[in-house]
Each structure stands twice: as C-alpha cells, then as structure tokens.
Amino acid sequence: MRLLFYFKKEESLGKTSEILTDGHKEIIRKQIIAGARNYKKLLINKVFLIVCEDGAEYEVRFFKGDYKHLTGVYSNLDDDVFFEYCVNGKIDKGNIDTNQKYDWSTLKKKGKIIQNIHELLYKDDQKTLLLEALDTNTYMFPLAIKDIANDICVGFVSDIHKARSLRRAKNSTNAKAEKRIIAVLAKNNGDKAYGELVYLSSVRGVYKKNESLIDKMDEKIMTRFMEILTRPE
C-alpha cells in the first residue's frame, strides 16, 4: 500500500498546528531513533572543551533530558522516557502527536540534522563557528555552535552551557561575536583531565594560540600532542 505524504493546517483555539500522517510519523520515528543512538554514544555524559581562534575556551554539554526539545517533536512521552524509547527503538508512531508545532518541512529538516548532530563537533571542518550571545526572536543564547556548511546551529543555555535549541545556521546571525573553532577536546563527567581529542585544526597552531591546553589533557593524549609538536617541521 502506498503511503500518501501530505500535511494540512488546522485552526484550533486560534493556534495553527500541523497534522502529520502515519507516513510522516514513521520517517520521524526512524530519524529520532538514529539520532538518539548517536547522541548517547558520542555526546551525553561528556564535557566538551571548545578552543577558538583567539585561544579562548568554552565548555559545552549535552543531556538526555534535552533531546526531545532538540528534535522539535511533540510527544505523549516525557523528556527522559522519550529519549530512552528512542535509544531502545521502542518509540512508536502512537507516541508522536498528530498535531505538531512545526510544519512537515521543518520537522523533516530537524530530523535529518538530529540523526547526525554529533557531527557538529566530530567533524574535520574549518567552517564551524562558536557564537557568543546569539540573539533570536525568542531567546538570548549565551553560546551557540554553528556549522555553516550543513546549515546547523545548536544553542546552549544555563551557566553549564547545555544544548537546548536546534536551529538553522542561516537564521542564526545576530551574535555578539563569531569565532572559528580550532580544537575540541572531551572528557567523561567527573574526570579532571580531557582524554579525547575530538578535533584539531593544527597541533602547532592550537598550541600557539593556547599553550596551557596541554595542562588540561590526560597523559595519553598529552604525549601524542607533544610528539607531533616536537617533530621537525
């Protein structure tokens, strides 16, 4: 049986909502399952240290309780259960509300992004920027990370800078400052030193901008870093 993919708008108490078909819900279901598994494997329970071209450092985090909000999907499951159901593949079309805030085009775009949200940090890309004080129509994000090539922007909130908003990069331009990211390190929650080199644009270039960075690395990656640094050019 062929599924018909369409959406229509419904006025309810003066508020516009989008009506999803079962076909739409199945596409979203597959996207959020894939995304949750990558999110759990690569992003949560970690602290990421972002180093920018001016040598400045920023820490960001990802939590399972924010995953549902990042997807933009309305569901009858609460935040933590929504994430666990996605990770375990238990989420069903019945858990995805028929009436949604975002239109089908936006939800599909968010779904494609959420599948590979880890690539915001885990990618060799010179076009990834850190934004300070990103001002949107609804909120001022103290930090955001923008991937221009893939039109992705994640806004971070609170004093611990946790990921909370998934936006389009081209709509995320009103910021106090934009800085190119030159390095990303990660550590498990509770660890004192960073034990994972997620991204380095250039060992020598990063060291020149931030020599104290090596003091934050564990012995294993500090040794690797210094081996490259001391090689003859």
Side-chain angles (χ1 to χ4, degrees), residues 141-160:
F141 294 94
L143 287 183
I145 296 177
K146 180 166 70 172
D147 178 356
I148 298 173
N150 292 304
D151 195 22
I152 303 169
C153 183
V154 173
F156 297 85
V157 301
S158 84
D159 57 347
I160 61 171

Side-chain angles (χ1 to χ4, degrees), residues 17-213:
S17 62
E18 298 299 331
I19 311 302
L20 296 185
T21 67
D22 281 350
H24 288 144
K25 291 181 181 181
E26 181 59 23
I27 291 173
I28 291 171
R29 191 186 76 85
K30 290 178 179 178
Q31 290 173 329
I32 60 180
I33 287 173
R37 289 170 176 171
N38 285 327
Y39 194 89
K40 181 176 183 179
K41 180 180 179 181
L42 296 168
L43 297 178
I44 65 172
N45 299 320
K46 291 183 179 182
V47 179
F48 292 90
L49 182 67
I50 312 297
V51 183
C52 293
E53 58 190 331
D54 61 354
E57 300 176 0
Y58 308 84
E59 287 184 342
V60 299
R61 295 167 171 83
F62 298 79
F63 293 92
K64 70 177 184 178
D66 296 302
Y67 181 76
K68 178 182 175 183
H69 192 267
L70 289 169
T71 68
V73 173
Y74 281 8
S75 168
N76 61 356
L77 302 174
D78 67 27
D79 294 349
D80 286 352
V81 174
F82 178 89
F83 180 73
E84 294 299 336
Y85 269 41
C86 288
V87 170
N88 296 325
K90 290 174 59 178
I91 195 161
D92 185 76
K93 294 192 294 289
N95 301 128
I96 299 171
D97 291 357
T98 299
N99 290 4
Q100 294 287 330
K101 172 184 176 181
Y102 295 106
D103 62 34
W104 167 238
S105 177
T106 300
L107 285 172
K108 183 170 63 173
K109 172 69 174 177
K110 282 179 172 284
K112 288 181 179 179
I113 294 171
I114 206 72
Q115 288 181 95
N116 300 298
I117 190 174
H118 60 287
E119 291 185 357
L120 187 72
L121 300 178
Y122 284 88
K123 187 173 62 174
D124 187 358
D125 189 351
Q126 298 292 315
K127 295 184 178 180
T128 302
L129 305 174
L130 181 133
L131 311 184
E132 290 183 346
L134 172 64
D135 192 3
T136 70
N137 291 330
T138 57
Y139 195 81
M140 172 77 78
F141 294 94
L143 287 183
I145 296 177
K146 180 166 70 172
D147 178 356
I148 298 173
N150 292 304
D151 195 22
I152 303 169
C153 183
V154 173
F156 297 85
V157 301
S158 84
D159 57 347
I160 61 171
H161 300 146
K162 64 172 188 166
R164 185 61 181 171
S165 176
L166 184 62
R167 305 171 48 81
R168 300 189 71 174
K170 70 178 184 180
N171 296 332
S172 306
T173 58
N174 188 18
K176 179 181 178 181
E178 290 190 353
K179 304 177 182 181
R180 186 171 64 88
I181 294 173
I182 60 173
V184 180
L185 281 69
K187 66 179 179 181
N188 294 325
N189 284 333
D191 288 354
K192 292 183 177 180
Y194 290 88
E196 181 182 0
L197 288 175
V198 176
Y199 167 69
L200 281 175
S201 58
S202 161
V203 169
R204 288 185 173 87
V206 170
Y207 183 73
K208 183 178 180 180
K209 294 292 185 179
N210 188 329
E211 295 183 6
S212 66
L213 190 62

